[in-house]
Amino acid sequence: MTEIDEPKLIKIDDWVFRVKEGQSTKQIKLMLLLHGYLGNENVMWILTNPLPASYTFLAPRAPLQMGENQFSWHKLGMRWPDLDIYQQLIADLLHRIDSWSAKMNIPSPKLDIMGFSQGAVVAYAMALLYPERIGRIAALAGFIPRSWKSHLQPEVLKDRKFFVAHGTRDLTVPIIRAHQAVSWLKKSGADVTFCESDIEHKLSADCFKGLGKFFTDDGLPPANESDDS
């Protein structure tokens, strides 16, 4: 990656992000990259390689520091937090994205989201709590907490596009949790693409290709085929 392509480290209010602006002037779309537990704003970029270069990517650092360069979206306990715990977290995140977008003269359309593990759970929360702000969602090695099932309403999720990828040998988030999420989403009317691979808590090569297709099937070329004019 050349220096000009390197995602820039910025602060929006008191929140650390890395941002990479879209290369195309024809159509700019925003994508939010949500890292997993103990990750940071630097770890999701490899997953953007098959995605359209017209995307402007925003990778926030989760707010709770757990160790050196290790962060979490919230505290973890014996029971996963209820959905309402995410309300203020997501509102604060969207406020900063809107503030940055306004300064950059970028309209604030629906955000596409890619989340990994804990970040995938946050992505699901965003889709449920702020459906008017969210477009396509990629949930990688994540799950929907059982206590959220009552919030999976057809009027919120009908025709919403999800890409769900999971490994059959994932010991961090067992594959049954992905099967439950896919079943719940489909019963709520969502349009779900599911990629399952014989892999652990990461994204397989096949699902990596599927991820690229999921975000390019609206006619936008992948990054290595983009028009940079």
Side-chain angles (χ1 to χ4, degrees), residues 27 99 119 146 154 183 185 204-205 224:
Q27 183 181 5
S99 175
R146 293 182 181 88
S183 177
L185 290 170
S204 70
N224 60 0

Side-chain angles (χ1 to χ4, degrees), residues 4 6 11 23 98 106 115 145-146 177 192:
I4 193 170
E6 187 73 25
K11 271 194 174 183
Q23 297 176 16
D98 289 343
I106 298 175
R146 293 182 181 88
R177 304 301 302 275
V192 183

Side-chain angles (χ1 to χ4, degrees), residues 11-222:
K11 271 194 174 183
I12 307 174
D13 295 338
D14 56 346
W15 205 317
V16 175
F17 284 72
R18 279 203 184 271
V19 176
K20 182 179 179 182
E21 296 179 35
Q23 297 176 16
S24 175
T25 59
K26 295 179 180 179
Q27 183 181 5
I28 295 176
K29 298 180 69 176
L30 299 182
M31 180 179 288
L32 196 60
L33 307 175
L34 302 175
H35 66 76
Y37 180 66
L38 302 184
N40 56 49
E41 70 281 5
N42 301 314
V43 300
M44 294 287 289
W45 293 98
I46 187 66
L47 300 178
T48 69
N49 285 348
L51 306 187
S54 55
Y55 271 115
T56 287
F57 296 103
L58 300 100
R61 176 190 293 174
L64 185 62
Q65 186 159 10
M66 306 299 292
E68 185 177 0
N69 296 320
Q70 296 179 324
F71 298 86
S72 175
W73 292 100
H74 51 72
K75 293 180 180 179
L76 295 181
M78 295 297 294
R79 183 175 180 273
W80 201 267
D82 291 333
L83 184 60
D84 57 5
I85 296 297
Y86 292 79
Q87 189 87 46
Q88 191 60 53
L89 168 70
I90 296 171
D92 290 344
L93 181 58
L94 289 174
H95 173 74
R96 284 160 175 79
I97 291 170
D98 289 343
S99 175
W100 177 84
S101 298
K103 290 179 181 178
M104 300 297 293
N105 294 316
I106 298 175
S108 296
K110 288 187 175 181
L111 288 163
D112 288 346
I113 307 176
M114 185 197 308
F116 179 82
S117 195
Q118 188 190 37
V121 181
V122 178
Y124 282 131
M126 295 183 77
L128 294 171
L129 291 171
Y130 292 88
E132 73 285 355
R133 296 297 312 273
I134 307 305
R136 297 186 179 209
I137 303 102
L140 315 177
F143 67 99
I144 299 175
R146 293 182 181 88
S147 63
W148 297 10
K149 187 177 178 181
S150 62
H151 296 275
L152 298 169
Q153 301 299 328
E155 62 270 20
V156 173
L157 293 172
K158 183 174 174 56
D159 299 326
R160 181 81 58 182
K161 293 184 180 295
F162 288 85
F163 178 85
V164 178
H166 216 94
T168 59
R169 293 186 285 117
D170 190 335
L171 299 180
T172 303
V173 181
I175 186 68
I176 191 173
R177 304 301 302 275
H179 291 163
Q180 290 172 340
V182 169
S183 177
W184 293 340
L185 290 170
K186 286 184 175 180
K187 287 179 181 178
S188 299
D191 180 354
V192 183
T193 301
F194 182 45
C195 183
E196 179 178 313
S197 296
D198 182 25
I199 203 167
E200 299 175 348
H201 193 61
K202 53 187 177 181
L203 189 68
S204 70
D206 286 346
C207 293
F208 186 73
K209 293 177 182 177
L211 180 68
K213 185 178 185 300
F214 176 74
F215 284 113
T216 56
D217 67 4
D218 56 1
L220 295 177

